[in-house]
Coordinates of all heavy atoms in Angstrom, one line a residue:
M61 N 0.8 -1.2 0.0 CA 0.0 0.0 0.0 C 0.9 1.3 0.0 O 1.8 1.3 0.8 CB -0.9 0.0 1.2 CG -1.7 1.2 1.4 SD -2.7 1.2 2.9 CE -4.2 0.6 2.3
L62 N 0.6 2.2 -0.9 CA 1.4 3.4 -1.0 C 0.9 4.4 0.0 O -0.3 4.6 0.3 CB 1.3 4.0 -2.4 CG 1.9 3.1 -3.5 CD1 1.6 3.8 -4.8 CD2 3.4 3.0 -3.3
R63 N 1.9 5.1 0.7 CA 1.5 6.2 1.6 C 1.4 7.5 0.9 O 2.1 7.7 -0.2 CB 2.6 6.3 2.7 CG 2.7 5.1 3.5 CD 3.8 5.3 4.6 NE 4.7 6.4 4.3 CZ 5.8 6.7 5.0 NH1 6.0 6.0 6.1 NH2 6.6 7.6 4.7
N64 N 0.6 8.3 1.4 CA 0.6 9.7 0.8 C 1.7 10.5 1.4 O 1.8 10.7 2.6 CB -0.8 10.4 1.2 CG -1.9 9.8 0.4 OD1 -1.7 9.3 -0.7 ND2 -3.1 9.9 0.9
I65 N 2.7 10.9 0.6 CA 3.8 11.7 1.0 C 3.9 12.9 0.1 O 3.5 12.8 -1.1 CB 5.1 10.9 1.0 CG1 5.4 10.3 -0.3 CG2 5.1 9.9 2.1 CD1 6.7 9.5 -0.4
D66 N 4.4 14.0 0.6 CA 4.6 15.2 -0.2 C 5.8 15.0 -1.1 O 6.6 14.1 -1.0 CB 4.7 16.5 0.6 CG 5.8 16.6 1.5 OD1 6.9 16.1 1.2 OD2 5.7 17.1 2.6
D67 N 6.0 15.9 -2.1 CA 7.1 15.8 -3.0 C 8.5 15.9 -2.4 O 9.4 15.2 -2.8 CB 7.0 17.0 -4.0 CG 5.8 16.8 -5.0 OD1 5.3 15.7 -5.1 OD2 5.4 17.8 -5.6
M68 N 8.6 16.7 -1.3 CA 9.9 16.7 -0.6 C 10.2 15.4 0.0 O 11.4 14.9 -0.1 CB 9.9 17.9 0.4 CG 11.2 18.2 1.0 SD 12.4 18.6 -0.3 CE 13.7 19.4 0.6
Q69 N 9.3 14.8 0.7 CA 9.5 13.5 1.4 C 9.9 12.5 0.3 O 10.7 11.7 0.5 CB 8.3 13.1 2.2 CG 8.1 13.9 3.4 CD 6.8 13.5 4.1 OE1 5.8 13.2 3.4 NE2 6.8 13.4 5.4
Q70 N 9.1 12.5 -0.8 CA 9.4 11.5 -1.8 C 10.8 11.7 -2.4 O 11.5 10.7 -2.6 CB 8.4 11.6 -3.0 CG 8.6 10.6 -4.1 CD 7.6 10.6 -5.1 OE1 6.4 11.1 -4.9 NE2 7.9 10.0 -6.2
W71 N 11.2 12.9 -2.6 CA 12.6 13.2 -3.1 C 13.6 12.7 -2.1 O 14.6 12.1 -2.5 CB 12.8 14.7 -3.4 CG 14.1 15.0 -3.9 CD1 14.5 15.0 -5.2 CD2 15.2 15.5 -3.2 NE1 15.8 15.4 -5.3 CE2 16.3 15.7 -4.1 CE3 15.5 15.7 -1.8 CZ2 17.5 16.1 -3.7 CZ3 16.7 16.2 -1.4 CH2 17.7 16.3 -2.4
E72 N 13.4 13.0 -0.8 CA 14.4 12.5 0.2 C 14.4 11.0 0.2 O 15.5 10.4 0.3 CB 14.0 13.1 1.6 CG 14.2 14.6 1.7 CD 13.6 15.1 3.0 OE1 12.9 14.4 3.7 OE2 13.9 16.3 3.3
L73 N 13.3 10.3 0.2 CA 13.3 8.9 0.2 C 14.0 8.3 -1.1 O 14.7 7.3 -1.0 CB 11.8 8.4 0.3 CG 11.2 8.6 1.7 CD1 9.7 8.2 1.6 CD2 11.9 7.8 2.7
E74 N 13.7 8.9 -2.2 CA 14.3 8.4 -3.5 C 15.8 8.6 -3.4 O 16.6 7.8 -3.9 CB 13.7 9.2 -4.7 CG 12.3 8.7 -5.0 CD 11.7 9.6 -6.1 OE1 12.4 10.5 -6.6 OE2 10.6 9.2 -6.5
M75 N 16.3 9.7 -2.8 CA 17.7 9.9 -2.6 C 18.3 8.9 -1.7 O 19.4 8.3 -1.9 CB 18.0 11.4 -2.1 CG 17.7 12.5 -3.1 SD 18.7 12.3 -4.6 CE 20.4 12.5 -3.9
E76 N 17.6 8.6 -0.6 CA 18.1 7.6 0.3 C 18.2 6.2 -0.3 O 19.1 5.5 -0.2 CB 17.2 7.5 1.6 CG 17.7 6.6 2.6 CD 16.8 6.6 3.9 OE1 15.9 7.4 4.0 OE2 17.0 5.7 4.7
L77 N 17.1 5.9 -1.1 CA 17.1 4.6 -1.9 C 18.3 4.6 -2.8 O 19.0 3.6 -3.0 CB 15.8 4.5 -2.6 CG 15.6 3.2 -3.4 CD1 15.7 2.0 -2.6 CD2 14.2 3.3 -4.1
S78 N 18.5 5.7 -3.5 CA 19.6 5.7 -4.5 C 21.0 5.5 -3.8 O 21.8 4.8 -4.3 CB 19.6 7.1 -5.2 OG 20.7 7.2 -6.1
Q79 N 21.1 6.2 -2.7 CA 22.4 6.0 -1.9 C 22.6 4.5 -1.5 O 23.7 4.0 -1.5 CB 22.5 6.9 -0.7 CG 22.6 8.4 -1.1 CD 22.4 9.3 0.0 OE1 22.0 9.0 1.1 NE2 22.8 10.6 -0.2
C80 N 21.5 3.9 -1.0 CA 21.6 2.5 -0.5 C 21.9 1.6 -1.7 O 22.7 0.7 -1.6 CB 20.3 2.1 0.1 SG 19.9 2.9 1.7
I81 N 21.3 1.8 -2.8 CA 21.6 1.0 -4.0 C 23.0 1.2 -4.5 O 23.8 0.3 -4.8 CB 20.6 1.3 -5.1 CG1 19.2 0.8 -4.7 CG2 21.1 0.7 -6.5 CD1 18.1 1.3 -5.7
G82 N 23.5 2.5 -4.4 CA 24.9 2.8 -4.8 C 25.9 2.1 -3.9 O 26.9 1.5 -4.3
W83 N 25.6 2.1 -2.6 CA 26.4 1.4 -1.6 C 26.5 -0.1 -1.8 O 27.5 -0.7 -1.8 CB 25.9 1.7 -0.1 CG 26.8 1.0 0.9 CD1 27.9 1.5 1.5 CD2 26.6 -0.3 1.4 NE1 28.4 0.6 2.3 CE2 27.6 -0.5 2.3 CE3 25.6 -1.2 1.2 CZ2 27.7 -1.7 3.0 CZ3 25.7 -2.4 1.9 CH2 26.8 -2.7 2.8
L84 N 25.3 -0.7 -2.1 CA 25.2 -2.1 -2.4 C 26.1 -2.5 -3.6 O 26.8 -3.4 -3.6 CB 23.7 -2.5 -2.6 CG 23.5 -4.0 -3.0 CD1 24.0 -4.9 -1.8 CD2 22.1 -4.2 -3.3
I85 N 26.0 -1.7 -4.7 CA 26.7 -2.0 -5.9 C 28.2 -1.8 -5.6 O 29.0 -2.7 -6.0 CB 26.3 -1.0 -7.0 CG1 24.9 -1.4 -7.5 CG2 27.3 -1.1 -8.2 CD1 24.3 -0.4 -8.4
A86 N 28.6 -0.8 -4.9 CA 30.0 -0.6 -4.5 C 30.5 -1.7 -3.7 O 31.7 -2.2 -3.8 CB 30.2 0.8 -3.9
S87 N 29.7 -2.2 -2.7 CA 30.1 -3.3 -1.8 C 30.3 -4.6 -2.6 O 31.2 -5.3 -2.4 CB 29.0 -3.4 -0.8 OG 29.3 -4.5 0.1
R88 N 29.4 -4.8 -3.5 CA 29.5 -6.1 -4.3 C 30.8 -6.0 -5.2 O 31.5 -7.0 -5.4 CB 28.3 -6.2 -5.2 CG 27.1 -6.7 -4.4 CD 25.9 -6.9 -5.4 NE 24.7 -7.4 -4.6 CZ 23.5 -7.5 -5.1 NH1 23.3 -7.2 -6.4 NH2 22.6 -8.0 -4.3
N89 N 31.0 -4.8 -5.8 CA 32.2 -4.7 -6.6 C 33.5 -4.9 -5.8 O 34.4 -5.5 -6.2 CB 32.3 -3.3 -7.3 CG 31.2 -3.2 -8.4 OD1 30.8 -4.2 -9.0 ND2 30.9 -2.0 -8.8
S90 N 33.5 -4.3 -4.6 CA 34.6 -4.4 -3.7 C 34.9 -5.9 -3.3 O 36.0 -6.4 -3.3 CB 34.4 -3.5 -2.5 OG 35.5 -3.7 -1.6
A91 N 33.8 -6.5 -3.0 CA 33.9 -8.0 -2.6 C 34.4 -8.8 -3.8 O 35.2 -9.7 -3.6 CB 32.6 -8.5 -2.2
A92 N 34.0 -8.5 -5.0 CA 34.4 -9.3 -6.2 C 35.9 -9.0 -6.4 O 36.7 -9.9 -6.7 CB 33.6 -8.8 -7.4
E93 N 36.4 -7.7 -6.2 CA 37.8 -7.4 -6.4 C 38.6 -8.1 -5.3 O 39.7 -8.7 -5.6 CB 38.0 -5.9 -6.3 CG 37.5 -5.2 -7.5 CD 37.5 -3.6 -7.3 OE1 38.0 -3.2 -6.3 OE2 37.0 -2.9 -8.2
A94 N 38.1 -8.2 -4.1 CA 38.8 -8.9 -3.0 C 38.9 -10.4 -3.3 O 40.0 -11.0 -3.0 CB 38.1 -8.6 -1.7
E95 N 37.9 -11.0 -3.8 CA 37.9 -12.4 -4.1 C 38.9 -12.7 -5.2 O 39.6 -13.7 -5.2 CB 36.5 -12.8 -4.5 CG 35.5 -12.9 -3.4 CD 34.1 -13.1 -3.8 OE1 33.8 -13.2 -5.0 OE2 33.2 -13.3 -2.9
E96 N 38.9 -11.8 -6.2 CA 39.9 -12.0 -7.3 C 41.4 -11.8 -6.8 O 42.2 -12.6 -7.1 CB 39.7 -10.9 -8.4 CG 40.7 -11.0 -9.6 CD 40.6 -12.2 -10.4 OE1 39.6 -13.0 -10.3 OE2 41.6 -12.5 -11.1
C97 N 41.6 -10.9 -5.9 CA 42.9 -10.7 -5.3 C 43.3 -11.9 -4.5 O 44.4 -12.4 -4.6 CB 42.9 -9.4 -4.4 SG 44.5 -9.0 -3.7
A98 N 42.3 -12.4 -3.7 CA 42.6 -13.6 -2.9 C 42.9 -14.8 -3.8 O 43.8 -15.6 -3.5 CB 41.4 -13.9 -2.0
R99 N 42.2 -14.9 -4.9 CA 42.4 -16.1 -5.8 C 43.8 -16.0 -6.4 O 44.6 -17.0 -6.5 CB 41.4 -16.0 -7.0 CG 41.5 -17.2 -8.0 CD 40.6 -17.0 -9.2 NE 41.0 -15.9 -10.0 CZ 42.0 -15.8 -10.8 NH1 42.9 -16.8 -10.9 NH2 42.3 -14.7 -11.5
K100 N 44.3 -14.8 -6.8 CA 45.6 -14.6 -7.3 C 46.7 -14.9 -6.2 O 47.7 -15.5 -6.6 CB 45.8 -13.2 -7.8 CG 45.1 -12.9 -9.1 CD 45.3 -11.5 -9.6 CE 44.5 -11.2 -10.9 NZ 44.7 -9.9 -11.3
H101 N 46.4 -14.5 -5.0 CA 47.4 -14.9 -3.9 C 47.5 -16.4 -3.7 O 48.5 -16.9 -3.5 CB 47.0 -14.2 -2.6 CG 47.4 -12.7 -2.6 ND1 48.6 -12.3 -2.4 CD2 46.6 -11.6 -2.6 CE1 48.7 -11.0 -2.4 NE2 47.4 -10.5 -2.5
R102 N 46.3 -17.1 -3.8 CA 46.3 -18.5 -3.6 C 47.1 -19.2 -4.7 O 47.9 -20.1 -4.5 CB 44.9 -19.1 -3.5 CG 44.2 -18.8 -2.2 CD 42.9 -19.6 -2.1 NE 41.9 -19.1 -3.0 CZ 41.1 -18.1 -2.9 NH1 41.1 -17.4 -1.7 NH2 40.2 -17.8 -3.8
E103 N 46.9 -18.7 -6.0 CA 47.7 -19.2 -7.1 C 49.2 -19.0 -6.9 O 50.0 -19.9 -7.2 CB 47.2 -18.6 -8.4 CG 45.9 -19.0 -8.9 CD 45.4 -18.3 -10.1 OE1 46.1 -17.4 -10.6 OE2 44.3 -18.6 -10.6
A104 N 49.5 -17.8 -6.5 CA 51.0 -17.5 -6.2 C 51.5 -18.4 -5.1 O 52.7 -18.9 -5.2 CB 51.1 -16.0 -5.9
E105 N 50.7 -18.6 -4.1 CA 51.2 -19.5 -3.0 C 51.4 -21.0 -3.6 O 52.4 -21.6 -3.2 CB 50.1 -19.6 -1.9 CG 50.5 -20.5 -0.8 CD 49.4 -20.6 0.3 OE1 48.3 -20.0 0.1 OE2 49.6 -21.3 1.3
E106 N 50.5 -21.4 -4.4 CA 50.6 -22.8 -5.0 C 51.9 -22.8 -5.8 O 52.6 -23.9 -5.8 CB 49.4 -23.1 -5.8 CG 48.2 -23.4 -5.0 CD 48.3 -24.6 -4.0 OE1 48.9 -25.6 -4.4 OE2 47.8 -24.5 -2.9
E107 N 52.2 -21.8 -6.6 CA 53.4 -21.8 -7.4 C 54.6 -21.8 -6.5 O 55.6 -22.5 -6.8 CB 53.4 -20.6 -8.3 CG 52.4 -20.7 -9.4 CD 52.2 -19.4 -10.2 OE1 53.1 -18.4 -10.1 OE2 51.3 -19.3 -11.0
A108 N 54.6 -21.0 -5.5 CA 55.7 -21.0 -4.5 C 56.0 -22.3 -3.8 O 57.1 -22.8 -3.7 CB 55.5 -19.9 -3.5
L109 N 54.9 -22.9 -3.5 CA 55.0 -24.3 -2.8 C 55.6 -25.3 -3.8 O 56.4 -26.1 -3.4 CB 53.7 -24.7 -2.3 CG 53.1 -24.0 -1.1 CD1 51.7 -24.4 -0.7 CD2 54.1 -24.2 0.1
A110 N 55.2 -25.2 -5.1 CA 55.7 -26.1 -6.1 C 57.2 -25.9 -6.3 O 58.0 -26.8 -6.4 CB 54.9 -26.0 -7.4
Q111 N 57.6 -24.6 -6.3 CA 59.0 -24.3 -6.5 C 59.8 -24.7 -5.2 O 60.9 -25.3 -5.4 CB 59.2 -22.8 -6.7 CG 60.6 -22.3 -7.0 CD 61.1 -22.9 -8.3 OE1 60.3 -23.2 -9.2 NE2 62.4 -23.1 -8.4
I112 N 59.3 -24.6 -4.1 CA 59.9 -25.0 -2.8 C 60.1 -26.5 -2.9 O 61.2 -27.0 -2.6 CB 59.1 -24.6 -1.6 CG1 59.2 -23.1 -1.4 CG2 59.6 -25.4 -0.4 CD1 58.3 -22.6 -0.3
S113 N 59.1 -27.2 -3.3 CA 59.2 -28.7 -3.4 C 60.3 -29.1 -4.4 O 61.1 -30.0 -4.1 CB 57.9 -29.3 -3.9 OG 57.9 -30.7 -4.0
K114 N 60.4 -28.4 -5.5 CA 61.4 -28.8 -6.5 C 62.8 -28.5 -5.9 O 63.7 -29.4 -6.1 CB 61.3 -28.0 -7.8 CG 60.1 -28.3 -8.6 CD 60.0 -27.4 -9.8 CE 58.7 -27.7 -10.6 NZ 58.5 -26.8 -11.7
V115 N 63.0 -27.4 -5.3 CA 64.3 -27.1 -4.7 C 64.7 -28.1 -3.6 O 65.8 -28.6 -3.5 CB 64.3 -25.6 -4.2 CG1 65.6 -25.3 -3.4 CG2 64.2 -24.7 -5.3
R116 N 63.7 -28.4 -2.8 CA 64.0 -29.4 -1.7 C 64.4 -30.7 -2.3 O 65.3 -31.4 -1.8 CB 62.8 -29.6 -0.8 CG 62.5 -28.4 0.1 CD 61.3 -28.5 0.9 NE 61.5 -29.5 2.0 CZ 62.0 -29.3 3.2 NH1 62.3 -28.1 3.5 NH2 62.1 -30.3 4.0
Q117 N 63.7 -31.1 -3.4 CA 64.1 -32.4 -4.0 C 65.5 -32.3 -4.6 O 66.3 -33.3 -4.4 CB 63.1 -32.7 -5.2 CG 61.8 -33.2 -4.7 CD 60.8 -33.4 -5.9 OE1 61.1 -33.1 -7.1 NE2 59.6 -33.9 -5.6
R118 N 65.9 -31.2 -5.2 CA 67.2 -31.1 -5.7 C 68.2 -31.1 -4.6 O 69.4 -31.5 -4.8 CB 67.3 -29.8 -6.5 CG 66.5 -29.9 -7.8 CD 66.6 -28.6 -8.6 NE 67.9 -28.3 -9.0 CZ 68.3 -27.1 -9.4 NH1 67.4 -26.1 -9.5 NH2 69.5 -26.8 -9.8
L119 N 67.9 -30.7 -3.4 CA 68.8 -30.7 -2.3 C 68.8 -32.0 -1.6 O 69.6 -32.3 -0.7 CB 68.4 -29.6 -1.2 CG 68.7 -28.2 -1.7 CD1 68.0 -27.2 -0.7 CD2 70.2 -27.9 -1.8
G120 N 67.9 -32.9 -2.0 CA 67.8 -34.2 -1.3 C 67.1 -34.2 0.0 O 67.2 -35.1 0.8
L121 N 66.3 -33.2 0.2 CA 65.5 -33.1 1.4 C 64.1 -33.6 1.2 O 63.6 -33.6 0.2 CB 65.4 -31.6 1.8 CG 66.7 -30.9 2.1 CD1 66.4 -29.4 2.3 CD2 67.3 -31.4 3.4
P122 N 63.6 -34.1 2.3 CA 62.2 -34.7 2.2 C 61.2 -33.5 2.0 O 61.4 -32.4 2.4 CB 61.9 -35.3 3.6 CG 62.9 -34.7 4.5 CD 64.1 -34.3 3.7
D123 N 60.2 -33.8 1.2 CA 59.1 -32.8 1.0 C 58.2 -32.7 2.2 O 57.6 -33.7 2.5 CB 58.4 -33.2 -0.3 CG 57.6 -32.0 -0.9 OD1 58.0 -30.8 -0.6 OD2 56.7 -32.2 -1.7
S124 N 58.2 -31.6 2.8 CA 57.3 -31.4 4.0 C 56.5 -30.1 3.9 O 56.8 -29.2 3.1 CB 58.1 -31.5 5.3 OG 59.0 -30.4 5.3
E125 N 55.5 -30.0 4.7 CA 54.6 -28.8 4.7 C 55.4 -27.7 5.3 O 56.2 -27.9 6.2 CB 53.3 -29.1 5.5 CG 52.5 -30.1 4.8 CD 51.0 -29.9 5.1 OE1 50.6 -28.8 5.6 OE2 50.2 -30.8 4.8
I126 N 55.0 -26.5 4.9 CA 55.6 -25.3 5.4 C 54.8 -24.9 6.7 O 53.6 -24.7 6.6 CB 55.6 -24.1 4.4 CG1 56.3 -24.5 3.1 CG2 56.2 -22.9 5.0 CD1 57.8 -24.8 3.2
D127 N 55.5 -24.6 7.8 CA 54.9 -24.2 9.0 C 54.7 -22.7 8.9 O 55.7 -21.9 8.9 CB 55.7 -24.5 10.2 CG 55.1 -24.1 11.5 OD1 53.9 -23.7 11.5 OD2 55.8 -24.2 12.6
Q128 N 53.4 -22.3 8.8 CA 53.1 -20.8 8.6 C 53.6 -20.0 9.8 O 53.9 -18.8 9.6 CB 51.7 -20.7 8.3 CG 51.2 -21.5 7.1 CD 50.8 -20.6 6.0 OE1 50.6 -19.4 6.1 NE2 50.7 -21.1 4.8
S129 N 53.5 -20.5 11.0 CA 53.8 -19.6 12.2 C 55.2 -19.3 12.2 O 55.6 -18.2 12.5 CB 53.4 -20.3 13.5 OG 54.0 -21.6 13.6
S130 N 56.1 -20.3 11.9 CA 57.6 -20.0 11.9 C 57.9 -19.2 10.7 O 58.8 -18.4 10.7 CB 58.4 -21.3 12.0 OG 58.1 -22.0 10.8
N131 N 57.2 -19.3 9.6 CA 57.5 -18.6 8.4 C 57.2 -17.1 8.6 O 58.0 -16.2 8.1 CB 56.6 -19.1 7.2 CG 57.0 -18.6 5.9 OD1 58.2 -18.2 5.7 ND2 56.1 -18.6 4.9
S132 N 56.1 -16.7 9.3 CA 55.8 -15.3 9.5 C 56.8 -14.7 10.4 O 57.2 -13.5 10.2 CB 54.4 -15.2 10.1 OG 54.4 -15.8 11.4
S133 N 57.4 -15.4 11.4 CA 58.4 -14.7 12.2 C 59.7 -14.5 11.4 O 60.4 -13.6 11.6 CB 58.7 -15.6 13.5 OG 59.2 -16.8 13.1
A134 N 60.0 -15.4 10.5 CA 61.2 -15.2 9.7 C 61.0 -14.0 8.8 O 62.0 -13.3 8.5 CB 61.4 -16.5 8.8
L135 N 59.8 -13.8 8.3 CA 59.6 -12.6 7.5 C 59.7 -11.3 8.3 O 60.0 -10.3 7.7 CB 58.2 -12.7 6.8 CG 58.1 -13.8 5.8 CD1 56.6 -13.9 5.3 CD2 59.0 -13.6 4.6
D136 N 59.3 -11.4 9.6 CA 59.4 -10.2 10.4 C 60.8 -9.8 10.8 O 61.0 -8.8 11.5 CB 58.5 -10.4 11.7 CG 57.1 -10.5 11.3 OD1 56.7 -10.0 10.3 OD2 56.3 -11.1 12.1
G137 N 61.7 -10.7 10.5 CA 63.1 -10.5 10.9 C 63.5 -11.0 12.2 O 64.6 -10.7 12.8
A138 N 62.7 -11.8 12.8 CA 62.9 -12.4 14.1 C 63.7 -13.6 14.0 O 63.8 -14.3 13.1 CB 61.6 -12.7 14.8

């Protein structure tokens, strides 16, 4: 059921609706960009793990998983 509203109220409501729709579109675009970025990072991680495996094989070391907690401290310079 439609309410009776004056022109000014209608304009304000239409502006609010427009802003909400704009925010929704921007949010969806941002999420899609973040998902694409995360996908690229996962692909780069897989490539790095494959390279690590090859180098370990060439060194005669067993292939083992990378411990992420010790890896982050090494990157921090600790």
Side-chain angles (χ1 to χ4, degrees):
M61 173 184 266
L62 295 176
R63 298 183 337 185
N64 288 334
I65 54 176
D66 64 34
D67 289 342
M68 188 60 164
Q69 287 176 322
Q70 181 173 343
W71 181 83
E72 289 172 353
L73 290 172
E74 287 175 359
M75 289 301 297
E76 184 177 350
L77 179 60
S78 175
Q79 290 172 347
C80 289
I81 292 170
W83 179 87
L84 178 63
I85 292 169
S87 181
R88 286 181 178 173
N89 289 339
S90 178
E93 289 171 6
E95 289 170 357
E96 177 65 15
C97 185
R99 184 188 63 75
K100 288 179 180 179
H101 281 287
R102 285 189 297 273
E103 287 176 358
E105 179 184 2
E106 290 297 321
E107 291 172 9
L109 289 172
Q111 186 63 28
I112 289 169
S113 180
K114 288 177 186 177
V115 171
R116 289 180 68 89
Q117 286 177 354
R118 290 177 63 195
L119 290 170
L121 298 172
D123 199 18
S124 63
E125 292 208 15
I126 304 296
D127 182 9
Q128 302 246 345
S129 61
S130 64
N131 192 23
S132 64
S133 64
L135 291 175
D136 293 338

